[in-house]
Amino acid sequence: MKKDFWNDRVVVITGATSGIGKALYEELAKVPCELVLVARRATEITEPKNKHEGAIIHRVACDLADPTSVLDATEWIQKKVSKVDVLFNNAGITAHGRFDSLSMDVYRKTFATNFFGPIQFIRGLLSLLLAAKGNIVTTSTVSALYGVPGRAAYSASKSALHAALESLRIENLESGLGVSLVCVPYTDTALRTSGLDASGGVLSEAPAKGKRKSAKEVAHVLMSVAKDKEARLVTFNLSGKFLEWMRFFSPKFLEKILYKKLYEDFKPH
C-alpha cells in the first residue's frame, strides 16, 4: 500500500477508541501525517507500537450525542489545525428491537449519535474540509439502504445521514469536496455489545453469524475510498451489492429474504 498520499495530511477520525476507528488510527500512525482522534473516552487512546516519528497525534474528547460536546470539539480542532484533508466519520451506535417495542427514547438516542451529532460535527469542520478540498468518508451500513427488520431506529438514522450527506455532495460539486458513504459488512467490533436494546438498555448480543471482516480489513477499504473523490456509495461484499440492487429491481423479493434471514431478530415474544 502506497503511503505517499497520506504524507502531511490532516486526518480526523471519530470513534477512534476501538473497532474500525482504532484500526484506522493504527494504520495511519505509521506515516508522517497529523491525526485528530475523536472519541468519548479519548484519554484511553494509547500510543501505537509502530508510530512514525513524523506522525502528530491529537486526542479530543467528544460525545456526539451531546451538542455542547460537539461544539467544544470542533472549536478546538478549528484552532489546532488549518485544514482537514480527510474526515473519517466513523462513530456510531446500533439499536435492536421490533418497531412496536422500540421506545421513543431509543429513536432519539440513536439519531443523536448517528445523525444529529455527525451532521453538527461535519458542519463545524466544513470550512477546514473545503480549504483542503478534502474528503468525508462515512462508515455506514447496508441497513441504511432499506428498512431492516429489528433495526428500525438504526436503519432510519443511517438512511437519514445518507440523504443529508448526498445533499452536501451535490451542493459542493464544484468545490472539490468529496463525500463517500461506505456500507461495511459484518465486522469484528464491539457494536453489538455497546448499542441499545428496545428499552434503551445496553445491548448484549452474540456476534453476527457467518464470516466477519476484521476492523483492519475495513480500515484499508476506507483508506482506499478516501483517495477517490469520485467514490459515492460503496458496498464491498456480495450481500451489500445484492441489497443495493434488489431494493430497486425487486423490493418484494428482497423483503421476503430479509424476513426469513432475520426472523429470529424480530419475531414476536
Side-chain angles (χ1 to χ4, degrees):
M1 180 175 57
K2 291 183 179 180
K3 304 293 187 183
D4 294 350
F5 173 87
W6 299 102
N7 288 358
D8 303 317
R9 303 281 183 173
V10 178
V11 181
V12 178
I13 304 171
T14 67
T17 309
S18 62
I20 297 167
K22 182 180 179 182
L24 282 167
Y25 151 51
E26 291 176 341
E27 289 300 296
L28 289 168
K30 297 175 184 178
V31 298
C33 63
E34 189 167 2
L35 297 172
V36 181
L37 309 177
V38 181
R40 285 185 297 124
R41 304 184 307 278
T43 55
E44 296 179 13
I45 300 173
T46 57
E47 288 286 301
K49 294 180 180 179
N50 298 318
K51 179 176 175 291
H52 191 284
E53 62 180 10
I56 300 170
I57 297 173
H58 310 288
R59 297 168 179 80
V60 185
C62 178
D63 180 356
L64 284 176
D66 180 353
T68 301
S69 179
V70 175
L71 180 62
D72 289 344
T74 54
E75 287 183 345
W76 187 92
I77 296 169
Q78 287 169 358
K79 294 174 182 177
K80 200 70 177 180
V81 301
S82 60
K83 63 171 184 170
V84 173
D85 294 291
V86 179
L87 164 59
F88 286 108
N89 180 38
N90 172 72
I93 191 171
T94 192
H96 295 185
R98 285 177 59 92
F99 181 92
D100 54 9
S101 67
L102 284 167
S103 71
M104 289 307 299
D105 192 46
V106 169
Y107 278 99
R108 295 185 183 97
K109 287 181 178 179
T110 306
F111 267 79
T113 299
N114 290 352
F115 180 75
F116 291 111
I119 292 298
Q120 183 188 357
F121 192 84
I122 292 168
R123 280 171 51 91
L125 298 186
L126 193 54
S127 62
L128 298 178
L129 284 155
L130 289 170
K133 296 185 177 180
N135 204 349
I136 302 167
V137 180
T138 294
T139 304
S140 190
T141 168
V142 295
S143 297
L145 305 180
Y146 208 89
V148 174
R151 307 285 190 276
Y154 182 55
S155 282
S157 64
K158 288 293 191 176
S159 181
L161 184 61
H162 275 217
L165 294 183
E166 285 165 351
S167 295
L168 174 65
R169 181 198 301 130
I170 296 169
E171 292 168 1
N172 287 276
L173 282 177
E174 297 183 358
S175 71
L177 181 71
V179 180
S180 306
L181 301 157
V182 186
C183 296
V184 305
Y186 287 131
T187 307
D188 192 11
T189 68
L191 192 68
R192 285 179 171 236
T193 56
S194 60
L196 301 172
D197 62 21
S199 62
V202 178
L203 186 67
S204 181
E205 290 187 2
K209 295 179 181 179
K211 188 176 181 180
R212 300 190 302 277
K213 295 286 186 182
S214 70
K216 185 175 180 179
E217 286 177 300
V218 174
H220 282 172
V221 172
L222 294 171
M223 290 168 64
S224 177
V225 171
K227 299 176 184 179
D228 182 8
K229 289 287 185 66
E230 297 302 313
R232 286 168 169 75
L233 179 64
V234 179
T235 54
F236 61 97
N237 71 348
L238 289 177
S239 62
K241 294 183 185 302
F242 174 81
L243 195 151
E244 182 183 358
W245 283 94
M246 292 308 295
R247 64 179 179 151
F248 294 117
F249 294 114
S250 184
K252 184 176 181 179
F253 178 69
L254 174 61
E255 289 174 5
K256 288 182 178 178
I257 295 293
L258 291 173
Y259 182 92
K260 183 177 181 180
K261 183 177 180 180
L262 298 173
Y263 182 74
E264 291 299 318
D265 289 351
F266 69 88
K267 66 182 181 181
H269 296 292

